[in-house]
Amino acid sequence: MQTAHSLEESSNIVTTIDCNGRSDAQIKLSIQRATENRAPLMKLIGLDLDRIERPTPSHWIDNCATPNDARFEQLSNMLGNVFGYSDLQNGRLVQEVFPIRGDARKQVGSGAIKLELHTEDPILEYRADYLGFMCVSNRDRIPTTVAVPDFALLSETTRLTLCDTKFTIFSDRPTPTPFKPAKLVTSVLLRAPGGRLRMIYDPVYIDYAAMDAGQSAAFRELQELIDSAMTEFLLKEGDVGFVDNYQVAHGRPQYVPRYDGTDRWLKRTQISSNLVRFSAIAVGENVLP
Ligand SMILES: O=C(O)CCC(=O)C(=O)O
Ligand SMILES: [Fe+2]
């Protein structure tokens, strides 16, 4: 019999959970232990998923369902509650991430240019606490880029500026939606219990013009810290990854899609630790505006 210890293999920032031969109760326990320990990144390997032979679709509007989607949603629900957005892929709870021809030059998951490190949905108060990713295919071994900055390395002045002054971040949605804010005025670093810091980070959509000199210098120092902490988080076929959206900035390197059914294909979930808090604004079951 394996000990609980052999179940999880931790690198500095990635907690690997080998699910081979494990019950759902055991997997859930390992996930919950990792979240309690504030693991920034988790990787589930050895899952008993179906092999997917179908080609990578060309657009999310098509039927993209795979036999593993329900299992991925179930695993994601072990961290909180999976939810969708009304303006994202028709409110689907399991979303598609693969290159779409018309998006190649856009700063989006379906693009092909370098996707800058960011946290997801910076302007939404109800943004995901965790993102889930399941790899359907990735023959080119294209990683997700990730950075888990150690905020203790920031100067005191920078930390205070990022915590105690307000920055403006614009919406990252390609088309404005009347029912959503167009921007958020917020601090970039948030104080959490126990003195921990969390971040809302998007260097592409933050309003540089609205910063004073001190804020510009502070944001630059944070960006340098995040860039210097960047590393790769590679998901292979059948792996599931979870990303803490307040501790980890994520992105993707530039690459050259073929658009012939062989491109990298990830599934994605948005996971909330406290969905009940936003039930009043829900527009459908587990769907937020
Ligand atoms: O393609 C990736 O690895 C990440 C894309 C991304 O930023 C996202 O899906 O939120
Ligand atoms: Fe993202």
Side-chain angles (χ1 to χ4, degrees):
M1 195 179 130
Q2 283 177 292
T3 60
H5 186 72
S6 67
L7 191 57
E8 287 138 57
E9 172 201 318
S10 299
S11 76
N12 289 351
I13 58 167
V14 182
T15 300
T16 301
I17 300 176
D18 187 351
C19 302
N20 188 19
R22 299 280 155 173
S23 70
D24 275 14
Q26 287 171 312
I27 295 171
K28 188 169 176 177
L29 206 62
S30 291
I31 289 177
Q32 286 175 344
R33 193 187 305 137
T35 55
E36 276 160 25
N37 291 336
R38 313 228 170 269
L41 291 154
M42 273 178 245
K43 194 189 278 189
L44 272 52
I45 59 169
L47 287 160
D48 189 17
L49 296 176
D50 284 346
R51 239 196 115 72
I52 308 298
E53 304 290 353
R54 63 167 288 182
T56 302
S58 52
H59 201 285
W60 59 263
I61 208 86
D62 301 329
N63 176 11
C64 298
T66 81
N68 297 327
D69 294 11
R71 177 69 172 144
F72 174 44
E73 194 181 323
Q74 184 191 35
L75 291 164
S76 299
N77 273 316
M78 292 180 182
L79 288 90
N81 290 101
V82 172
F83 70 97
Y85 292 111
S86 60
D87 61 347
L88 185 64
Q89 302 189 9
N90 288 338
R92 273 184 208 170
L93 299 188
V94 174
Q95 296 135 20
E96 310 299 329
V97 181
F98 48 66
I100 296 177
R101 211 182 264 279
D103 291 347
R105 302 211 51 77
K106 296 183 193 159
Q107 189 60 220
V108 292
S110 50
I113 56 170
K114 177 184 172 203
L115 186 58
E116 300 291 342
L117 292 168
H118 62 281
T119 58
E120 205 70 7
D121 292 300
I123 74 151
L124 300 176
E125 303 276 10
Y126 49 89
R127 70 186 72 80
D129 292 291
Y130 294 94
L131 297 174
F133 291 101
M134 175 175 70
C135 179
V136 182
S137 76
N138 192 4
R139 69 168 64 166
D140 301 312
R141 298 287 183 254
I142 298 161
T144 299
T145 49
V146 292
V148 184
D150 177 359
F151 301 120
L153 296 175
L154 294 170
S155 68
E156 181 70 8
T157 317
T158 288
R159 225 171 18 248
L160 291 177
T161 305
L162 295 173
C163 281
D164 296 333
T165 73
K166 300 291 186 198
F167 293 75
T168 301
I169 310 178
F170 295 116
S171 172
D172 63 353
R173 290 291 196 269
T175 39
T177 34
F179 50 87
K180 265 192 156 136
K183 60 182 186 185
L184 178 71
V185 178
T186 179
S187 63
V188 166
L189 295 185
L190 315 170
R191 290 191 182 87
R196 286 182 304 117
L197 293 177
R198 312 170 87 207
M199 66 174 158
I200 299 173
Y201 179 74
D202 197 327
V204 174
Y205 291 96
I206 200 157
D207 185 359
Y208 292 92
M211 295 180 198
D212 64 26
Q215 289 181 309
S216 300
F219 191 78
R220 204 177 317 117
E221 193 182 324
L222 176 66
Q223 189 166 13
E224 281 165 11
L225 177 69
I226 289 176
D227 288 347
S228 69
M230 187 174 93
T231 177
E232 295 186 346
F233 183 57
L234 176 67
L235 297 177
K236 303 201 205 83
E237 291 80 2
D239 291 346
V240 166
F242 294 112
V243 177
D244 182 325
N245 194 36
Y246 286 93
Q247 288 192 74
V248 185
H250 68 278
R252 196 209 52 244
Q254 173 188 354
Y255 71 117
V256 184
R258 288 177 292 267
Y259 305 113
D260 64 353
T262 66
D263 287 321
R264 174 184 188 254
W265 181 7
L266 304 179
K267 299 267 179 177
R268 183 181 61 185
T269 48
Q270 319 271 344
I271 305 163
S272 177
S273 304
N274 194 0
L275 196 56
V276 138
R277 185 149 84 91
F278 304 108
S279 54
I281 57 159
V283 295
E285 201 186 331
N286 293 342
V287 180
L288 298 177

